[in-house]
Amino acid sequence: MIATFIISAVYASGAVNAPETFEQKIPNSLAKFEMARIPAGEGKQDGKSVPVKSLWIGRTEVTWDVYDIWAFRRDLDQDTVNRGHFDANARPSRPYGAADRGFGHAGYPALGMTARSADLFCKWLSEKTSKKYRLPTVVEWEYAARAGTAAPPAKLGDVAWYWDNADDKTWPVGKKPANAWGLFDTLGNTAEWAKLPDGNAVVCGGSFIDKAPEVGFGARKTPAPAWQQRDPQRPKSRWWLSDGPFVGFRVVCDD
Amino acid sequence: MDLLLVFAWFATTDRAMLTNAMERDNAMTRRDFLRTTTMAAAAMAMPTGLFAQGKDQLKVGLIGCGGRGTGAANDSASADPGVVIWAVGDVFPDRAEGCRKSLQDSLKDRCQVTAERTFTGFDAYKKVLASGVDVVILAAPPGFRPAHFEAAVEAGKHIFTEKPVATDGPGLRKFLAAARKSEEKKLHVVAGTQRRHDPAYRETIARLRDGAIGDVTACYAYWNQGALWMNPRQPNWTDMEWQLRNWLYFTWLSGDIIVEQHIHNIDVCNWAVGAHPTKAISLAGRQVRTDAAYGHVFDHFATEYEYENGVRMISMCRQIDGTASRVSEHIVGTKGTTNANGSIRGTNAWRYEGARPNPYQEEHVHLIQAIRGGKAINEAVQVCETTATAIMGRMAGYTGQEVTWDMVMNSETSLAPASMQMGPIAVPKVAVPGTDRVS
């Protein structure tokens, strides 16, 4: 509530309205994040207008603070883990290396996860919170990222971490100004998983490794074998993208 | 010793060319002779680039069919169109079979492993070596490497050996003797320290050699991360099967985390200095990952190494969940610093902007190019020295004593069980610094 108040104060000083938000706590942990209400409206798909229902979307990319709990089984009893008495198909394998690439951890966006991982995280989060969490669709993602504006930001560096200002790494979420609906880092930092109508996922918005032309509301990257090129194991991981440090996500919550 | 470390790679010897190849081996088969002759003729007729892409079939055998071994077989096949995977071997039938099926699936007709050439048991490696292969990939747990490498050299095979290459003093001496023999036999040997095959690392170290950061005064090496995989014990597993399927957690098999994993970063520092350290002290322990499921290895080491010229390397490795991660190297010189991985800061600031091909594939490209008549390559002594460096750090951590290079290389303690068979074996006790001694 305090966080909401502060944000409201910030927004009250600008031209935009304060976003309607709620804070999601992860039970039995200190981790939490904020969700913002996106109003119903018209999104774009293949050049055509499509309706978008009102929804809640994460104000930031999912951070390690939250992702760690699921990915590294930190909500499970250690004895349970050590005896293997949990569903190993529902939790990521252990990465051989630093999952955060040494960019930073607390407050930084979780990264390098497959779309399957992001999906299963949402499933876990839904079970933990008794809400319905999922990845956004591409239409929803772009609609929320644009927040009612047609034009790209006048100065990309003001709102996004990308090639010119990111120093080849991610940055803590929420350090640059939010868009009109209160969302941070939709452009740059990590690109974000979203679903196509066929159920496949792409990453949207561009990332810290992209130059300006590849960062924007319409920026998409389709998963490729190169994203796992340096995974030395066969089969390659179902959970981690050895060469995908630019991949992250934010979650959507249906009413 | 130092000469061997100073760039087996950049030294452009032509010792694999025809003349030496003809001298290589009295046991050369007719097929080998024909291939060599054909390649030499091709070399005279064609530019080097084409020559390197010889189409003659190279039969590759895989020893150790885990995820890494299966990955390495794929990397080998992707490195050269003439490679076929010919035979596989693993202690466990499920591993060997699973690997064969995976390779058939990914490589199609370039996997020519038949049921008859899918070998299992503790002696599977001998059968792979006797199956008619030209090249062998050694990817079993490190404790087996000295015996596997020795047999591969004896059989005259070119070798890709995963790291590390030993876990104790007797293993190091066995590997080193075989490494010398592989040089005498002019075999090509590449090790799975893949940073040595990454263009960004290679270009950075080349610049370092040219004085880009002045004289190296200190090195820092890190592999700090969370916990790794563990296979919970099944009721039908013997002690031996349980330990083999959880080889990370038993020092006789993995060498402990400083040897199994942190070796990569230690290797980069040895590469940068151009030598191996001569002594080490270490603070280490088994602090958090204490459950019996994780055997008896430690979960952290912080080690100071000292090279003969007085340069020190600070090395840290940790596998504890919820702790800060860092996997990198940092080299300090009188004129600048470098991460060894494409970035130099200081007087001669520079950033690598070239291609970053997959080093796990590049290491196989370099091996096969050498076999096909390109630059000779033999990294056996080099990877053995880095393995010994890592073992020195482990011994310093386990004992709490200052441990010297000679103590490591002369250590008589063999960590392996007396008998290699499925059945009962003990879990070694957790080392106690201040009480345990190097012997």
Side-chain angles (χ1 to χ4, degrees):
Chain A
M1 277 305 113
I2 290 170
T4 306
F5 171 77
I6 293 168
I7 290 154
S8 301
V10 169
Y11 276 84
S13 67
V16 294
N17 296 319
E20 185 186 351
T21 65
F22 77 85
E23 185 179 81
Q24 179 63 67
K25 292 191 162 116
I26 310 298
N28 302 314
S29 83
L30 299 173
K32 59 191 177 185
F33 58 93
E34 278 197 329
M35 300 290 287
R37 164 77 79 182
I38 301 300
E42 296 275 314
K44 293 272 186 202
Q45 186 170 307
D46 302 326
K48 295 179 202 154
S49 286
V50 290
V52 177
K53 288 192 293 187
S54 174
L55 52 87
W56 296 93
I57 190 165
R59 297 193 66 198
T60 67
E61 291 150 346
V62 173
T63 60
W64 286 114
D65 310 57
V66 179
Y67 198 73
D68 277 352
I69 299 172
W70 172 72
F72 299 107
R73 310 164 191 172
R74 297 186 69 76
D75 57 327
L76 299 178
D77 170 69
Q78 286 310 295
D79 199 52
T80 301
V81 171
N82 292 337
R83 305 300 153 252
H85 296 156
F86 69 101
D87 183 2
N89 287 317
R91 298 285 182 135
S93 59
R94 299 291 194 156
Y96 193 91
D100 64 16
R101 310 314 202 256
F103 295 162
H105 208 83
Y108 283 72
L111 57 80
M113 72 290 293
T114 59
R116 179 178 182 276
S117 285
D119 272 336
L120 287 171
F121 169 85
C122 291
K123 184 164 180 274
W124 168 84
L125 184 62
S126 302
E127 287 163 6
K128 277 277 172 196
T129 60
S130 302
K131 294 197 184 81
K132 288 185 195 166
Y133 280 100
R134 60 175 173 82
L135 291 178
T137 67
V138 170
V139 172
E140 288 168 342
W141 185 90
E142 183 168 342
Y143 174 71
R146 285 185 179 277
T149 51
K155 286 179 74 178
L156 186 59
D158 288 348
V159 297
W161 297 107
Y162 72 114
W163 174 267
D164 283 352
N165 64 0
D167 197 21
D168 296 336
K169 62 186 278 297
T170 55
W171 288 81
V173 299
K175 295 296 183 197
K176 296 211 174 252
N179 70 10
W181 292 342
L183 311 188
F184 297 94
D185 304 306
T186 52
L187 305 184
N189 218 16
T190 61
E192 300 174 14
W193 282 119
K195 291 295 185 79
L196 295 166
D198 65 5
N200 288 320
V202 294
V203 294
C204 301
S207 74
F208 69 93
I209 61 164
D210 291 314
K211 294 183 176 170
E214 279 79 49
V215 181
F217 301 123
R220 309 281 182 267
K221 278 187 184 172
T222 304
W227 293 14
Q228 290 192 290
Q229 181 181 256
R230 290 173 187 236
D231 183 339
Q233 304 270 330
R234 282 288 179 117
K236 302 224 174 201
S237 179
R238 296 180 296 164
W239 306 98
W240 302 101
L241 300 169
S242 57
D243 300 81
F246 52 88
V247 175
F249 68 107
R250 73 181 68 217
V251 293
V252 157
C253 184
D254 291 315
D255 278 324
Chain B
M1 203 67 90
D2 290 356
L3 278 178
L4 286 164
L5 273 173
V6 179
F7 301 112
W9 189 260
F10 293 116
T12 52
T13 61
D14 286 325
R15 59 181 174 167
M17 298 308 283
L18 178 65
T19 317
N20 283 339
M22 293 288 284
E23 296 165 2
R24 179 177 302 178
D25 191 345
N26 293 332
M28 182 183 270
T29 64
R30 176 173 162 72
R31 197 169 60 82
D32 287 334
F33 177 80
L34 286 175
R35 178 193 303 141
T36 311
T37 311
T38 309
M39 282 165 50
M44 282 181 271
M46 283 189 274
T48 315
L50 291 174
F51 170 59
Q53 296 169 8
K55 289 201 179 71
D56 287 352
Q57 192 179 73
L58 276 176
K59 292 175 179 168
V60 174
L62 171 62
I63 293 167
C65 294
R68 177 75 273 266
T70 308
N74 278 283
D75 293 335
S76 176
S78 64
D80 184 286
V83 163
V84 296
I85 309 301
W86 186 251
V88 299
D90 195 281
V91 168
F92 297 114
D94 62 303
R95 282 296 198 180
E97 285 293 328
C99 175
R100 175 162 62 95
K101 291 193 175 105
S102 168
L103 292 173
Q104 285 169 339
D105 189 44
S106 61
L107 300 177
K108 312 295 184 220
D109 61 353
R110 292 179 59 206
C111 172
Q112 296 186 8
V113 183
T114 58
E116 293 71 35
R117 289 197 295 271
T118 303
F119 304 108
T120 61
F122 283 103
D123 62 350
Y125 72 99
K126 294 180 183 169
K127 296 171 183 169
V128 171
L129 290 171
S131 70
V133 296
D134 306 297
V135 185
V136 68
I137 295 169
L138 305 183
F144 295 108
R145 199 92 66 231
H148 291 182
F149 184 77
E150 181 182 58
V153 171
E154 194 58 39
K157 307 303 179 190
H158 301 297
I159 299 164
F160 174 80
T161 174
E162 260 306 338
K163 39 47 65 175
V165 296
T167 61
D168 58 19
L172 283 170
R173 290 195 295 278
K174 178 179 283 199
F175 190 96
L176 189 58
R180 302 276 187 226
K181 197 160 187 182
S182 74
E183 290 175 349
E184 288 166 20
K185 286 185 153 190
K186 297 187 164 39
L187 299 175
H188 300 293
V189 180
V190 165
T193 37
Q194 77 281 352
R195 284 163 175 75
R196 301 247 189 184
H197 299 268
D198 182 320
Y201 272 96
R202 292 157 69 101
E203 176 67 19
T204 310
I205 298 288
R207 283 166 183 266
L208 181 149
R209 278 287 180 279
D210 288 342
I213 65 165
D215 295 331
V216 172
T217 56
C219 302
Y220 299 80
Y222 309 92
W223 196 309
N224 297 335
Q225 68 156 102
L228 291 180
W229 58 265
M230 181 274 292
N231 290 313
R233 185 160 187 167
Q234 303 300 305
N236 59 328
W237 288 355
T238 62
D239 293 338
M240 177 64 91
E241 179 162 4
W242 169 59
Q243 292 197 14
L244 291 176
R245 290 191 188 274
N246 285 282
W247 60 271
L248 291 174
Y249 304 111
F250 300 91
T251 306
W252 71 275
L253 285 164
S254 72
D256 209 316
I257 68 171
I258 187 174
V259 181
E260 194 283 319
Q261 184 171 60
H262 189 36
I263 184 172
H264 285 293
N265 322 99
I266 291 170
D267 185 56
V268 169
C269 295
N270 281 1
W271 189 13
V273 174
H276 63 73
T278 53
K279 58 185 179 182
I281 57 173
S282 184
L283 315 183
R286 182 179 165 95
Q287 179 75 25
V288 175
R289 193 172 56 186
T290 54
D291 191 278
Y294 301 94
H296 68 115
V297 300
F298 281 11
D299 55 16
H300 66 281
F301 291 81
T303 307
E304 183 205 74
Y305 289 99
E306 192 170 328
Y307 292 88
E308 191 154 29
N309 64 2
V311 169
R312 294 180 188 191
M313 173 201 343
I314 297 297
S315 116
M316 294 181 198
C317 57
R318 175 165 65 186
Q319 291 177 1
I320 299 178
D321 281 345
T323 60
S325 297
R326 185 184 291 177
V327 181
S328 63
E329 303 88 30
H330 180 70
I331 315 292
V332 180
T334 51
K335 292 181 184 170
T337 64
T338 179
N339 64 357
N341 184 17
S343 171
I344 291 173
R345 298 186 185 209
T347 312
N348 300 300
W350 166 81
R351 196 171 167 191
Y352 180 80
E353 293 186 20
R356 296 293 299 249
N358 179 2
Y360 295 100
Q361 185 176 324
E362 287 295 286
E363 58 196 5
H364 290 278
V365 169
H366 296 153
L367 175 63
I368 306 256
Q369 281 178 345
I371 294 168
R372 291 210 182 282
K375 285 177 194 168
I377 186 165
N378 191 328
E379 300 180 328
V381 170
Q382 166 190 299
V383 71
C384 189
E385 289 187 342
T386 294
T387 301
T389 306
I391 291 175
M392 181 160 63
R394 182 195 74 217
M395 288 178 168
Y398 277 10
T399 63
Q401 308 301 314
E402 179 175 279
V403 175
T404 66
W405 183 261
D406 289 344
M407 288 163 76
V408 176
M409 296 309 294
N410 295 328
S411 167
E412 294 290 345
T413 302
S414 176
L415 301 177
S419 172
M420 284 297 165
Q421 56 188 7
M422 295 302 166
I425 49 171
V427 177
K429 71 176 183 62
V430 177
V432 181
T435 299
D436 286 24
R437 291 288 184 273
V438 176
S439 58

